[in-house]
Amino acid sequence: MAAAMAQRVLALAAEEGPERLQEALQGLGEGELGDMVTKQALRGRETAALLRGIFRGSPCSQPSGVLRRLQVYKHCVPLVESGDLHLSKASEIIGLLMLEVRQLPGHALAELATLFVDVIKGGSLSNGKSLELFSTVLTALASSKESLAYGKGELNGEEFKKQLINTLCSSKWDPQSVIHLANMFRDIPLSGEELQFVVEKVLRMFSKLDLQEIPPLVYQLLLLSAKGSKKTVLEGIISFFNQLDKRQKEEQKVPQSMDLEVATVPLDQLRHVEGTVILHIISVINLDQDLGEELIKHLKTEQQKDPGEALCPFSVALLLSVAVKHRLQEQIFDFLKTSITRSCKDLQFLQASKFLRDLFPQQYDITAVILEVVKNSAFGWDYVTQGLVDLGFSLMESYEPKKPFGGKAAETNCGLSKTPAQQACRLGASILLETFKVHEPIRSDVLEQVLNRVLTKAASPVSHFIDLLSNIVVSAPLVLQNSSSRVTETFDNLSFLPIDTVQGLLRAVQPLLKVSMSVRDSLILVLQKAIFSRQLDARKAAVAGFLLLLRNFKILGSLTSSQCSQAIGATQVQADVHACYNSAANEAFCLEILGSLRRCLSQQADVRLMLYEGFYDVLRRNSQLASSIMETLLTQIKQYYLPQPDLLPPLKLEGCIMAQGDQIFLQEPLAHLLCCIQHCLAWYKSTVRLCQGAEDDDEEEEEEDVGFEQNFEEMLESVTRRMIKSELEDFELDKSADFSLSSGVGVKNNIYAIQVMGICEVLIEYNFNIGNFSKNKFEDVLGLFTCYNKLSEILREKAGKNKSALGNKTARSFLSMGFVSTLLTALFRDNAQSHEESLAVLRSNTEFLRYAVSVALQKVQQLEETGQTDGPDGQNPEKMFQNLCKITRVLLWRYTSIPTVVEESGKKKGKSISLLCLEGCLRIFNTVQQLYAARIPQFLQALDITDGDAEEADINVTEKAAFQIRQFQRSLVNQFSGAEDDFNSKETQLLVTVLSTLSKLLDPTSQQFLQFLTWTVKICKENALEDISCCKGLLTLLFSLHVLYKSPVSLLRELAQDIHACLGDIDQDIEVESRSHFAIVNAKTAAPTVCLLVLGQADKVLEEVDWLIKKLTSLGSDTSDSSQASNQTQALEKGIILQLGTLLTVFHELVQTALPAGSCVDTLLRSLSKTYTILTSLIKHYIQACRSTSNTIPGRLEKLVKLSGSHLTPQCYSFITYVQNIHSESLSFVEEKKKKKKKEDEAAAVSTVMAKVLRDTKPIPNLIFAIEQYEKFLIHLSKKSKVNLMQYMKLSTSRDFRINASMLDSVLQEHNTEDAENEPDNDQSTTAEQPDENQEPKKKRRRKT
C-alpha cells in the first residue's frame, strides 16, 4: 500500500502542474505519510525524489501544506537518529530538509525548534546527524520577523531563539551527544551572552564525559571560541585538567583504599589525553593568533590572584608548547621568568616571617611545578621539550652568577641558594638536566649549546654551565661518544680559555676520555701544543690537562685508593671499566706525559706551582708513577740544595728569583717544591712500603726507590738542622732590610722572606710527623718556628709602618688542613702519659699555640671563601668535613675550658688564644651551614663527645644545636656578670654572632627555640650594655628570633617607649613617664643605635604589610563568591589593620622623642612617609571594595583612621616644627660664629651648614605630601561608604602661613640698624629657617574646597 502510494506520488511529482499531487497528498493521514517515507528510505530508493515530491505538493502558502511539511520534518528527525538508515542516505535526507527550512513560516520553525529541544532533553540523539538541521532551523528562526507565541506572551524570532538556547543549556544533556551539540553551535549565529551560556554548559559537561572523549570536545570548543568567550574556554580547560592532576596526586598519596584505585584515572591515560589537548590548542592557536594572546593575558591576570591555579603543570606545559611559535616566545618567557623570581621572592618572604606564614599556610612553589612538567613530558609530549630547553637556557643566562668567579667556586656546593636569581639559575640547570635524562632526541642539541656557552662566555662566569655539563656526562657518559667530534672541537679552543674554565671542562668530560681513544689523543695533541704556547694561561691549561690524565689512567698494579674520590665525584671514577684495556699502553702513555711535564719545570713560577700542587694527587691515584715523580722532584730540588753540611743557609735562594729589567720575579716557588716533596714522601712511606713487603720480586727497583727515599730524608734532616742554626742575616734579611714593594730590593726581600717562612712551615710539618712525639724533634719544631716567627714579626712591623694593603694580609700557610687538625688535637687534647713530656716543649710556647690556632682560622676562611684549601686532600669534601669536625672539637674545648679572662694576654699584643678559638668556631659554624648543609646532623654529632656513636637517623639537630647554644650562653652571661674591667667587647660581639649563627639550626616551632628567645629577651631587659656594637648585635639577634616566633610590633612599641623615656620629649616642659622595659636602651645606645634598629625593623614590617595589601587587592579582584576567599580576605584585613595600628603607636612614641639631628631624624621622616603611603594604599583598596560590592567599611578600619588622626598626624606636624627649630638653631649658631670669623671663611661655613640643613629637611615636603594624599583618599572613601572618616582628622595649624610677631619686630629693627650690603644675608637666613612655608596659602585654599 505505502509502496504503491510512494510510486504514485513520484509519478504525480513528475507532472507539470502540482494540483493532482496536492489532492493525492491531502488524502493521506499523518501515519500513512510517515510509513511511506520510512519504507522508501529503508529500501534506499529515490527517497530524495519522494521528499521533493511531498514538498512540491505541500506549498507553504496553504496551512495544510505547512502542516504536512511539519509532519515530514517530525517524522524524519527520529528516522535519521534511529540509526536504521545508511549514513549517506541520512545525509541526503537532512540535506534536502535543510534546503526547505527557509520556506517554513515562523510559527512552524518555532514548533520544529521546540521539538528538537525536546529530543535533546530526552537524550534520544544517537549520531547527532539531525543537529545540522537544528542549526539551520535556529538560524532561520533568528531572522524571522513574525511575532511568535511563547508561554502567555509573544516574542520575535531572535528572542525566541535566545529562550530556546537558554532552555537547552539549562536542561540535562546526554553525555554522548555533547560533542555533536558543541559542533552544532558553531553553525548558529550567537550573541555574546548566548555564546557564554553555551560555553559554560559544555565546560560543565567535561566531568560527566569519559576521559577519551575530552580531546575532540575541547577541539570543538576551541573552534567555537573563534566567535568569542576565549577566556572562559581556556580557563575552563586549564582548571579542569588542574583538578584532575590534583586528584591524581592525592590518590597517589593514599593508595590504601581499593575503591579509590578503581575510581582513579590511569596516570598514563591522563597524560596522553592532556598531551592531545595541548596539541589541539596549539593547532588552533596557529590558525587564530588571538587565542594565544588571550592565553597569556588570562594567565597573567590569574597569577595575580592565585598563582597555584594559574601556573599548574598543565598550563605551564601549554605555555611552553605555544612558546615554540616565535611571535609569542618572548612574551611567554618573560612572563615565566618573572613568575619564577616572584615565586622565589614570595617564598623567601614567607619563610622569614611567622606572621605571614600564619596568614598564608599553603606556599606555592613554581620550581616544583616546572620540574613536574619535565617529568610529565616523558609521556610523548615532544612538542614541550623545545620550550623546556629554551626556558632552561634562558633562565641560566638571565640569572647567571656575577663576576667574582675565582673566589666563589664554593657557591655551587651550597645547600640552599641564597637569592631568587640564584634559585632561578639553579632551576634552569635542573630543567635542562632532567629534560636531558628524559628525552633522547634533544641530547646532542643540549650538549652542543652547553659547550658553545662554555666557549663563548669565557669572559663571564661559566661555573653553572660546567656543573651542568658535568651532571649531564654523569647521567649518560656514552651519549658523549656520539658527540665526540663536538668535544674535540671544544678542545681546540682550550688554550684561549681561563684556567678555571679549562679545569672544570676537563673534569666534566673526563669519563669520555676513558671510553674514546680518539678524543684522548686529540686532547693530548692540543695539550702538547699548548705547553709551548706564548700565553701563560695556555701553558697552565696544558699542565692542568696533563695532571688530570695522569690521575685517571691507572697503570696496572697501582693501589686502589678508596679515599681518593676527588671533587669530580665517585660516580665518574667508576667509569673505570675500560681503564685496563691496555695497561702497558697506559704506562707508556703516562711516562710520555711525565716527560712533557718535566719541560714545564723550567717555565714560570705559576706553571711550576700547578705541577707541585698536582703531583701529590697523581701519586695517590696512580701509585706506579711514584718512582718517576720522586726522581723528577729530586732532580729539581738538587738545583737549589747545598749539600755541604756546615754551609748556611742550606738552600740557594738567589736561584729562585729572576730579574727582568728593573723588575724582580719569583722563578722557583721553592717552598712549594719542598712542600710537594714532603707530602709525596709521607704518602710514599705510609702506603707503598706497606705493600712492598708482599712483593719482593722487583729488588733492583726497590733499591732504587729506597735510594731516593734515603736521599730525601737526609736532605730534609740536613735542611732542618741548618735552618735552625741560620740567622736572618744569612738570608740577607734582618730588621734593617728594606721590605717596601716599590723598590727592587724590597720586592726581592719580600720574596725571600715568604720563601723562608714557607720552608720553615714545611719543615715544621715534616718534623712533627716523623718525630713520633720525641722531645728532640719537637725542639727542632720550635727552633724552626722561632725562625718563622722572627720574620713574621718583621714583616708585620714593616707593613704597619708602610700602611700597605698587602702588609695586612698574612702569607698563606703551607701547613696542610689534615696536619693542622692533628697538631691542634695534640697541643690541646692529647692526654697520653707518654706524650706529655715532649708536648710540654710545644705547649710552653704561647706564641706557637697562637700560631697553630691562627693557621686553623686561615684554613677555615679559605675553605669558606673558595670551597677548598691548599695542600693534599684540599679538594676532597669528605676529608675537609672530617678535619673541620676535629678542629671544632678542639677549639670548642679550648674556649670553654680556659676563658679569656684567665688567659694572660696582656703582655703581648694581639688576640688571646681563647678569642681566636671563638673566632674559629664562628667561622666553622658559618662554613658548615654554607658548604655542608646536608651534613649538619653528623657535624653536631661529632662535637658532642658524650654521645658516643648514635645512629644517624636518631640525631635531633635542634637538641644538639641547643646543647652548643647553652655553652655559649653561659660564656655571654659571664661577660655581663663579671667586673666592668673584665668586659671584652670583641668577645661579646663574637659570642652574639655565634649564637645567632647557631640559632638558625633550631626549629622555630620547638621548645628550645622558645627558650632561647625568652633568654635573649631577658638578657636585653636586664643588662644595661653601653657598648654600641654589642648592643647592635644583641638587638639584631632578638629581632631575627622574634620574627620567626610572631610579629615583632609589640616589641618595637616597648623599645620605642624606652627610647622616648631616655631622650626626653620634643616639648621640654613635658616630663616623660619612665617605664623602662629594656635596660639595653640607655643614654649611650638609645640614639642613633637602638633608634635606627627599631626603625629598620619597622620598615620591614611596613614592607610585609605592603605585600599583604597587594595580595588583598588581587584577592579582591577575584569575583568568585566563595566563602573560603572571603574568610581569607577578612583574615588578611584583620592582620594588616592590627599591624598598622601597633606601628602607629610605635611612631607615636618616636615622633614625640627629642631625637638628635642627623640619621635618626632623617630615617624617621622617611619611615613616616612610607607609613602614610601604605595607609593610603589600604584606603584605596577599600574604595575599590566599595565600588565592586555594597559592603560597608569594617569598624576596625574606622578605629585605625581614628588612631592615625589622634596619635600620629598632629604629632608629625609638631615634629616637623621641632626639626626646623633644630636646624634654625644650628644656622643661628653659624651666624654667631660668622660675626667673629674673617670674611673669607664666612661664605664657606654658611654654605656648608645651608647644604646640610637643606639635605636634612628634604624628607619634610615628601611627608607632608604623603599625609595630604592620605587625607584626600579618606575624603573619597567617606563619600563612597557614607561614613564620615574625616571627623577624626584635625586640620593642621602647624603648616599654615603664620607671622611670628616678635621675630618680625627684631628683623625690622635689624634692618633699620644694618648696612644695605648685609641685607641679602638676612634674607637668606630667614628663608632658610622656614624652607617650606612659601607653599602654605595654596595648600590652605585646597583644604577649604
Side-chain angles (χ1 to χ4, degrees):
M1 171 70 188
M5 190 61 207
Q7 288 305 320
R8 187 171 169 220
V9 170
L10 285 170
L12 290 172
E15 288 179 8
E16 246 176 62
E19 296 78 10
R20 288 180 60 203
L21 179 59
Q22 286 172 13
E23 272 175 40
L25 287 172
Q26 260 166 351
L28 283 175
E30 191 179 336
E32 291 170 305
L33 187 68
D35 263 5
M36 177 175 74
V37 174
T38 306
K39 286 195 173 152
Q40 194 70 6
L42 288 174
R43 281 189 189 148
R45 277 192 255 126
E46 298 174 312
T47 319
L50 176 67
L51 287 174
R52 270 194 218 99
I54 295 172
F55 288 143
R56 191 174 175 219
S58 316
C60 289
S61 51
Q62 300 169 2
S64 61
V66 172
L67 195 63
R68 199 173 306 116
R69 282 187 176 226
L70 265 181
Q71 287 169 358
V72 171
Y73 274 94
K74 285 179 181 174
H75 185 76
C76 281
V77 170
L79 177 65
V80 168
E81 286 297 331
S82 66
D84 296 340
L85 297 184
H86 193 273
L87 207 57
S88 60
K89 188 57 66 181
S91 299
E92 189 183 10
I93 293 173
I94 291 294
L96 191 68
L97 294 178
M98 281 162 71
L99 282 174
E100 295 293 332
V101 162
R102 296 276 172 197
Q103 312 286 331
L104 290 171
H107 68 88
L109 286 171
E111 196 180 330
L112 194 51
T114 314
L115 162 83
F116 264 109
V117 171
D118 292 339
V119 168
I120 293 166
K121 275 185 181 174
S124 51
L125 286 180
S126 65
N127 56 13
K129 199 72 198 151
S130 60
L131 288 177
E132 293 174 30
L133 178 59
F134 185 30
S135 63
T136 318
V137 170
L138 281 178
T139 311
L141 184 63
S143 55
S144 166
K145 299 287 181 281
E146 262 180 69
S147 286
L148 306 167
Y150 183 83
K152 290 179 182 173
E154 287 192 339
L155 299 172
N156 67 20
E158 181 61 48
E159 287 166 346
F160 196 91
K161 179 199 76 168
K162 189 174 179 180
Q163 286 299 335
L164 280 179
I165 288 177
N166 204 341
T167 313
L168 189 56
C169 292
S170 314
S171 59
K172 191 179 174 188
W173 289 5
D174 178 18
Q176 289 175 333
S177 54
V178 177
I179 295 172
H180 303 308
L181 286 164
N183 187 16
M184 173 198 80
F185 281 114
R186 280 172 51 203
D187 302 329
I188 304 171
L190 297 169
S191 67
E193 196 183 339
E194 291 165 353
L195 182 63
Q196 190 71 10
F197 263 155
V198 171
V199 166
E200 283 171 4
K201 172 65 180 175
V202 176
L203 287 170
R204 283 200 299 277
M205 291 302 296
F206 271 20
S207 53
K208 300 186 173 65
L209 261 64
D210 188 38
L211 198 58
Q212 295 297 345
E213 291 171 357
I214 299 284
L217 179 57
V218 165
Y219 188 65
Q220 293 302 334
L221 253 187
L222 290 167
L223 294 176
L224 184 60
S225 75
K227 292 169 179 271
S229 292
K230 292 183 169 62
K231 177 176 174 288
T232 314
V233 170
L234 290 167
E235 189 175 5
I237 295 169
I238 290 169
S239 156
F240 173 71
F241 283 109
N242 191 11
Q243 294 309 319
L244 275 184
D245 280 342
K246 281 183 184 169
R247 200 180 313 149
Q248 182 77 36
K249 260 192 198 159
E250 279 161 23
E251 287 170 1
Q252 280 174 347
K253 282 181 199 163
V254 197
Q256 305 92 310
S257 157
M258 285 307 290
D259 306 342
L260 261 180
E261 283 184 27
V262 173
T264 305
V265 176
L267 182 66
D268 55 345
Q269 190 187 350
L270 173 61
R271 294 286 171 258
H272 286 128
V273 166
E274 286 177 339
T276 315
V277 168
I278 290 174
L279 266 181
H280 283 328
I281 297 176
I282 299 168
S283 64
V284 175
I285 286 177
N286 287 343
L287 303 170
D288 178 7
Q289 291 285 0
D290 294 346
L291 188 64
E293 302 279 0
E294 189 61 53
L295 172 69
I296 298 169
K297 199 165 119 191
H298 161 63
L299 290 177
K300 276 183 181 171
T301 47
E302 268 309 298
Q303 196 229 6
Q304 297 294 330
K305 299 177 202 167
D306 183 1
E309 286 295 319
L311 290 174
C312 56
F314 178 77
S315 61
V316 171
L318 177 56
L319 274 179
L320 290 170
S321 310
V322 176
V324 180
K325 295 265 116 229
H326 289 290
R327 206 170 73 79
L328 299 171
Q329 185 171 31
E330 202 173 322
Q331 277 188 60
I332 289 174
F333 280 178
D334 286 346
F335 168 55
L336 283 174
K337 284 192 288 195
T338 49
S339 303
I340 288 165
T341 45
R342 187 182 296 154
S343 163
C344 295
K345 276 179 196 160
D346 284 359
L347 275 175
Q348 260 190 351
F349 220 56
L350 287 164
Q351 281 160 3
S353 162
K354 177 75 165 61
F355 165 67
L356 290 181
R357 276 206 306 278
D358 290 344
L359 288 173
F360 287 92
Q362 284 182 326
Q363 298 172 8
Y364 167 70
D365 183 9
I366 193 171
T367 51
V369 170
I370 294 179
L371 290 174
E372 196 174 322
V373 173
V374 180
K375 199 170 77 183
N376 294 350
S377 70
F379 293 91
W381 296 6
D382 297 340
Y383 34 85
V384 180
T385 48
Q386 192 53 53
L388 281 168
V389 171
D390 292 344
L391 177 67
F393 280 116
S394 181
L395 284 171
M396 286 184 81
E397 286 177 334
S398 305
Y399 305 107
E400 61 190 6
K402 295 291 170 270
K403 196 70 183 146
F405 171 46
K408 281 293 170 200
E411 208 176 78
T412 52
N413 307 340
C414 298
L416 274 173
S417 308
K418 304 287 181 293
T419 62
Q422 284 173 335
Q423 287 171 309
C425 180
R426 177 148 314 182
L427 172 65
S430 305
I431 291 171
L432 288 169
L433 179 61
E434 295 307 314
T435 312
F436 183 90
K437 288 177 183 173
V438 172
H439 297 279
E440 219 164 294
I442 51 107
R443 285 182 178 178
S444 55
D445 178 41
V446 170
L447 186 65
E448 170 97 13
Q449 289 200 52
V450 172
L451 288 172
N452 280 344
R453 282 166 172 78
V454 169
L455 291 182
T456 53
K457 289 180 168 283
S460 55
V462 288
S463 54
H464 53 311
F465 282 116
I466 286 178
D467 290 339
L468 172 63
L469 180 64
S470 183
N471 291 332
I472 280 176
V473 176
V474 171
S475 70
L478 292 174
V479 74
L480 273 176
Q481 235 182 331
N482 309 331
S483 311
S484 56
S485 59
R486 186 68 195 84
V487 179
T488 34
E489 276 172 46
T490 310
F491 288 159
D492 293 338
N493 296 293
L494 278 188
S495 47
F496 307 110
L497 297 176
I499 183 69
D500 297 300
T501 306
V502 172
Q503 286 180 313
L505 183 63
L506 289 176
R507 226 177 271 155
V509 299
Q510 175 251 323
L512 177 63
L513 302 176
K514 298 196 167 181
V515 289
S516 170
M517 290 289 285
S518 59
V519 174
R520 190 184 79 178
D521 294 343
S522 63
L523 174 63
I524 290 169
L525 271 176
V526 169
L527 295 178
Q528 281 179 336
K529 276 187 207 161
I531 268 191
F532 298 106
S533 165
R534 286 183 178 183
Q535 261 67 41
L536 177 63
D537 262 6
R539 295 202 294 279
K540 284 164 80 172
V543 171
F546 278 143
L547 286 171
L548 181 98
L549 289 169
L550 284 178
R551 279 203 300 272
N552 288 297
F553 284 87
K554 289 204 180 140
I555 300 169
L556 203 60
S558 285
L559 302 165
T560 51
S561 168
S562 58
Q563 76 275 26
C564 69
S565 61
Q566 200 203 356
I568 52 174
T571 33
Q572 294 187 354
V573 179
Q574 282 163 10
D576 236 16
V577 250
H578 304 274
C580 294
Y581 49 75
N582 188 342
S583 171
N586 266 2
E587 185 164 7
F589 158 73
C590 288
L591 292 173
E592 183 191 340
I593 290 178
L594 265 181
S596 300
L597 287 178
R598 281 197 193 99
R599 295 192 195 116
C600 298
L601 290 173
S602 57
Q603 293 188 358
Q604 282 98 327
D606 283 7
V607 180
R608 299 182 191 196
L609 199 60
M610 283 191 74
L611 267 180
Y612 299 151
E613 287 177 346
F615 270 154
Y616 173 82
D617 260 337
V618 170
L619 205 61
R620 216 187 39 166
R621 305 280 287 279
N622 213 342
S623 58
Q624 287 296 81
L625 293 173
S627 52
S628 308
I629 288 176
M630 298 302 252
E631 285 297 338
T632 306
L633 291 173
L634 187 57
T635 316
Q636 191 68 5
I637 190 73
K638 277 183 176 170
Q639 298 174 32
Y640 307 97
Y641 172 64
L642 301 165
Q644 298 87 331
D646 301 328
L647 209 58
L648 298 179
L651 297 159
K652 277 191 288 196
L653 284 181
E654 53 284 0
C656 300
I657 55 171
M658 181 180 76
Q660 212 171 49
D662 56 351
Q663 286 188 307
I664 288 182
F665 299 104
L666 175 67
Q667 176 72 11
E668 174 65 74
L670 194 55
H672 283 91
L673 171 57
L674 262 184
C675 186
C676 176
I677 288 172
Q678 184 251 317
H679 289 310
C680 290
L681 188 62
W683 178 86
Y684 181 79
K685 284 159 72 172
S686 65
T687 315
V688 177
R689 290 185 54 199
L690 291 176
C691 304
Q692 276 181 350
E695 313 164 359
D696 293 331
D697 320 336
D698 236 344
E699 281 180 27
E700 229 176 275
E701 197 179 310
E702 200 175 314
E703 278 170 30
E704 190 187 307
D705 289 359
V706 171
F708 69 67
E709 188 184 328
Q710 200 173 343
N711 261 331
F712 277 134
E713 283 177 352
E714 285 169 5
M715 190 185 291
L716 288 167
E717 181 60 45
S718 166
V719 173
T720 302
R721 199 178 59 252
R722 288 189 273 164
M723 282 296 283
I724 294 167
K725 284 184 192 166
S726 300
E727 295 295 326
L728 291 184
E729 287 76 5
D730 295 328
F731 299 107
E732 301 169 26
L733 302 169
D734 57 15
K735 286 197 174 180
S736 58
D738 174 16
F739 284 98
S740 71
L741 295 173
S742 50
S743 68
V745 179
V747 172
K748 185 193 81 167
N749 287 342
N750 264 301
I751 292 174
Y752 277 8
I754 287 166
Q755 291 302 315
V756 172
M757 285 163 72
I759 290 164
C760 288
E761 285 193 303
V762 170
L763 293 171
I764 286 173
E765 182 166 343
Y766 173 74
N767 283 292
F768 187 97
N769 284 339
I770 64 162
N772 198 11
F773 292 95
S774 85
K775 192 175 178 184
N776 295 344
K777 280 291 176 201
F778 283 3
E779 280 165 356
D780 287 352
V781 166
L782 268 193
L784 289 161
F785 173 69
T786 312
C787 176
Y788 170 89
N789 205 32
K790 275 186 206 162
L791 262 177
S792 173
E793 292 280 311
I794 292 173
L795 281 180
R796 206 174 298 135
E797 200 178 303
K798 298 280 181 186
K801 282 180 190 166
N802 296 341
K803 295 276 181 277
S804 71
L806 276 171
N808 301 330
K809 282 188 175 176
T810 328
R812 246 192 207 169
S813 172
F814 280 78
L815 304 184
S816 65
M817 185 80 158
F819 173 66
V820 172
S821 65
T822 310
L823 177 64
L824 285 176
T825 311
L827 290 176
F828 296 123
R829 301 289 285 136
D830 192 330
N831 301 323
Q833 201 72 42
S834 54
H835 298 170
E836 200 173 323
E837 189 188 349
S838 54
L839 280 171
V841 174
L842 297 178
R843 286 172 178 167
S844 61
N845 187 323
T846 319
E847 279 304 308
F848 184 71
L849 298 179
R850 184 179 287 125
Y851 159 75
V853 178
S854 53
V855 171
L857 217 67
Q858 190 195 81
K859 291 283 170 194
V860 174
Q861 185 176 353
Q862 193 189 358
L863 186 65
E864 184 182 14
E865 287 169 2
T866 65
Q868 54 191 51
T869 63
D870 298 330
D873 297 320
Q875 294 180 329
N876 181 341
E878 181 52 44
K879 281 280 174 65
M880 287 299 106
F881 179 70
Q882 287 165 10
N883 288 328
L884 274 183
C885 294
K886 276 172 81 175
I887 291 172
T888 318
R889 269 207 300 271
V890 176
L891 297 184
L892 261 178
W893 177 85
R894 175 68 175 72
Y895 176 72
T896 45
S897 56
I898 306 177
T900 327
V901 188
V902 180
E903 208 174 299
E904 271 296 307
S905 62
K907 296 173 192 170
K908 279 270 184 184
K909 283 183 188 170
K911 295 175 187 168
S912 67
I913 295 175
S914 283
L915 205 54
L916 281 172
C917 289
L918 180 59
E919 206 176 313
C921 289
L922 170 60
R923 278 201 177 282
I924 291 172
F925 293 145
N926 272 325
T927 308
V928 170
Q929 287 188 33
Q930 194 179 318
L931 298 183
Y932 299 101
R935 306 199 57 186
I936 287 173
Q938 291 87 315
F939 173 72
L940 292 172
Q941 175 74 28
L943 300 191
D944 195 352
I945 306 150
T946 53
D947 201 11
D949 297 324
E951 282 294 309
E952 281 197 13
D954 300 341
I955 301 171
N956 181 333
V957 173
T958 297
E959 271 177 27
K960 297 273 182 205
F963 173 73
Q964 297 302 336
I965 284 173
R966 281 196 292 277
Q967 296 196 55
F968 292 108
Q969 281 175 313
R970 279 195 287 276
S971 305
L972 191 58
V973 169
N974 293 342
Q975 279 292 333
F976 290 137
S977 54
E980 205 169 307
D981 303 344
D982 292 339
F983 179 78
N984 183 334
S985 165
K986 179 72 184 151
E987 184 174 358
T988 309
Q989 285 176 55
L990 282 171
L991 281 167
V992 172
T993 320
V994 167
L995 286 170
S996 59
T997 308
L998 286 172
S999 70
K1000 292 173 192 163
L1001 302 178
L1002 295 174
D1003 173 11
T1005 57
S1006 65
Q1007 197 56 42
Q1008 289 91 333
F1009 183 86
L1010 189 55
Q1011 284 165 357
F1012 183 43
L1013 173 61
T1014 317
W1015 177 84
T1016 312
V1017 172
K1018 186 165 171 274
I1019 285 284
C1020 293
K1021 284 192 169 180
E1022 293 174 3
N1023 292 291
L1025 248 189
E1026 293 196 342
D1027 186 286
I1028 301 289
S1029 39
C1030 295
C1031 162
K1032 204 172 180 177
L1034 263 174
L1035 279 178
T1036 310
L1037 171 64
L1038 176 62
F1039 288 143
S1040 67
L1041 294 171
H1042 210 287
V1043 290
L1044 294 174
Y1045 176 63
K1046 64 175 185 183
S1047 173
V1049 279
S1050 50
L1051 180 73
L1052 293 176
R1053 181 170 54 195
E1054 292 181 357
L1055 284 164
Q1057 286 167 351
D1058 289 351
I1059 294 170
H1060 192 182
C1062 253
L1063 298 177
D1065 199 272
I1066 51 176
D1067 184 345
Q1068 291 167 358
D1069 303 338
I1070 294 176
E1071 194 175 323
V1072 185
E1073 174 196 349
S1074 177
R1075 36 180 181 184
S1076 175
H1077 304 97
F1078 288 89
I1080 202 168
V1081 183
N1082 49 52
K1084 275 201 176 175
T1085 58
T1089 313
V1090 179
C1091 179
L1092 287 177
L1093 281 169
V1094 167
L1095 287 171
Q1097 197 59 38
D1099 272 359
K1100 284 183 184 169
V1101 177
L1102 283 173
E1103 272 174 34
E1104 286 179 7
V1105 171
D1106 193 26
W1107 185 81
L1108 283 174
I1109 292 174
K1110 283 176 188 154
K1111 289 278 173 200
L1112 187 62
T1113 313
S1114 61
L1115 275 174
S1117 63
D1118 192 354
T1119 48
S1120 59
D1121 297 329
S1122 66
S1123 59
Q1124 187 185 352
S1126 64
N1127 287 348
Q1128 192 177 11
T1129 307
Q1130 280 175 4
L1132 278 183
E1133 287 175 352
K1134 184 182 175 185
I1136 289 167
I1137 291 172
L1138 286 176
Q1139 290 290 83
L1140 280 174
T1142 320
L1143 270 184
L1144 289 187
T1145 59
V1146 173
F1147 287 122
H1148 169 70
E1149 293 289 342
L1150 292 176
V1151 153
Q1152 294 179 83
T1153 307
L1155 294 170
S1159 57
C1160 288
V1161 169
D1162 194 42
T1163 314
L1164 178 56
L1165 288 171
R1166 288 178 205 283
S1167 292
L1168 287 167
S1169 301
K1170 200 182 284 184
T1171 308
Y1172 277 108
T1173 310
I1174 285 170
L1175 280 168
T1176 309
S1177 51
L1178 182 65
I1179 297 299
K1180 282 180 184 171
H1181 162 72
Y1182 280 106
I1183 292 174
Q1184 189 62 39
C1186 284
R1187 267 190 207 132
S1188 54
T1189 57
S1190 54
N1191 284 352
T1192 52
I1193 56 170
R1196 267 195 219 99
L1197 181 72
E1198 214 172 322
K1199 281 181 189 166
L1200 180 69
V1201 172
K1202 186 177 180 181
L1203 187 68
S1204 71
S1206 62
H1207 276 58
L1208 196 58
T1209 310
Q1211 285 80 352
C1212 276
Y1213 283 124
S1214 313
F1215 186 66
I1216 290 169
T1217 310
Y1218 162 75
V1219 173
Q1220 288 180 328
N1221 289 342
I1222 300 178
H1223 292 312
S1224 56
E1225 279 168 26
S1226 67
L1227 267 179
S1228 56
F1229 176 65
V1230 170
E1231 288 282 328
E1232 289 295 316
K1233 268 192 167 180
K1234 189 177 81 175
K1235 287 173 186 171
K1236 296 174 193 170
K1237 278 196 173 184
K1238 292 179 187 171
K1239 284 275 182 196
E1240 56 264 23
D1241 299 341
E1242 255 175 45
V1246 172
S1247 62
T1248 311
V1249 174
M1250 280 296 297
K1252 185 175 185 303
V1253 167
L1254 281 173
R1255 191 173 62 245
D1256 289 351
T1257 53
K1258 205 175 177 182
I1260 293 178
N1262 296 341
L1263 172 57
I1264 292 160
F1265 177 71
I1267 295 174
E1268 289 175 355
Q1269 282 294 97
Y1270 171 54
E1271 290 173 354
K1272 172 183 151 186
F1273 282 101
L1274 273 180
I1275 294 169
H1276 280 315
L1277 184 59
S1278 301
K1279 287 176 184 168
K1280 281 269 181 301
S1281 63
K1282 312 285 188 292
V1283 177
N1284 181 15
L1285 294 170
M1286 287 307 290
Q1287 64 185 346
Y1288 307 118
M1289 297 314 219
K1290 298 183 183 70
L1291 272 179
S1292 152
T1293 52
S1294 160
R1295 303 299 309 157
D1296 291 352
F1297 179 76
R1298 63 190 188 281
I1299 295 173
N1300 188 330
S1302 58
M1303 190 183 240
L1304 183 68
D1305 285 346
S1306 65
V1307 171
L1308 284 171
Q1309 281 172 12
E1310 268 183 47
H1311 268 277
N1312 293 337
T1313 54
E1314 281 197 357
D1315 297 326
E1317 63 189 32
N1318 281 344
E1319 280 177 19
D1321 286 342
N1322 271 326
D1323 283 352
Q1324 192 183 25
S1325 66
T1326 42
T1327 50
E1329 280 172 34
Q1330 295 166 346
D1332 295 309
E1333 310 258 310
N1334 315 342
Q1335 303 158 7
E1336 295 336 295
K1338 192 190 288 186
K1339 188 174 126 187
K1340 261 180 92 174
R1341 281 203 299 281
R1342 194 184 70 72
R1343 282 257 175 110
K1344 280 179 183 176
T1345 54

